[in-house]
Amino acid sequence: MTDHSPNRLSPTPDGPFHAQGDIRVVTDDGDTVFEGNDTWLCRCGHSATKPFCDGSHERVGFADPGTLGKTPRPMEQPADGPLIITLRPNGPLRMSGPYTLAAPDGTTCDVADKGSLCRCGLSHTKPMCDGAHKESDFEG
Ligand code: FES
């Protein structure tokens, strides 16, 4: 039995987020850039095909173990429904809908309608955003 949401977002070691489930990625204006069950989203900030990973994390030597540090407060009950990932202009991935944040070490956190995840690569609280993009020239 699993209490986890079928939507899963996994920060991979030194690489992108792996998003699986009922996933929709939209711009801040509401335009859909991805709708499907499986995609890889850049979290190093250097992809030429943002929001998607193009392998640039290897070229730039992006280093992050993908472990969960400061995570959103867990949701009280598992829920179904799509996970909408909104691309904040020059900022983080804003999560809306149920999902399980799953680290490579097996740690998980079930979340609903919360969370801003770093995609500039500079946050000190990865995988969460800490606002570091504001002090950088990150564009995406
Ligand atoms: S994480 Fe792969 S290009 Fe950024």
Side-chain angles (χ1 to χ4, degrees), residues 98-112:
Y99 66 104
T100 295
L101 197 54
D105 63 4
T107 310
T108 61
C109 179
D110 292 324
V111 188

Side-chain angles (χ1 to χ4, degrees), residues 70 116 118 120 122-126 128-134:
K70 180 179 174 234
S116 292
C118 176
C120 72
L122 300 173
S123 172
H124 293 97
T125 59
K126 294 185 205 64
M128 310 313 296
C129 170
D130 71 353
H133 58 276
K134 295 177 193 163

Side-chain angles (χ1 to χ4, degrees), residues 1-8 75 78-80 99-100 106 108-110:
M1 177 193 122
T2 176
D3 290 331
H4 298 309
S5 166
N7 302 324
R8 197 168 183 86
M75 64 184 179
D80 291 327
Y99 66 104
T100 295
T108 61
C109 179
D110 292 324

Side-chain angles (χ1 to χ4, degrees), residues 8-91:
R8 197 168 183 86
L9 204 75
S10 309
T12 62
D14 307 332
F17 287 109
H18 190 193
Q20 297 169 286
D22 187 357
I23 308 294
R24 206 173 136 211
V25 182
V26 300
T27 67
D28 209 43
D29 294 331
D31 293 332
T32 299
V33 297
F34 175 84
E35 192 161 18
N37 304 120
D38 197 303
T39 191
W40 300 83
L41 299 172
C42 174
R43 68 185 189 104
C44 77
H46 292 275
S47 174
T49 59
K50 295 184 196 78
F52 306 105
C53 171
D54 70 353
S56 293
H57 55 272
E58 291 184 15
R59 174 177 55 79
V60 301
F62 178 62
D64 180 71
T67 50
L68 304 185
K70 180 179 174 234
T71 57
R73 194 164 49 88
M75 64 184 179
E76 292 175 8
Q77 293 185 345
D80 291 327
L83 173 62
I84 313 292
I85 303 174
T86 302
L87 307 170
R88 298 289 297 140
N90 305 326

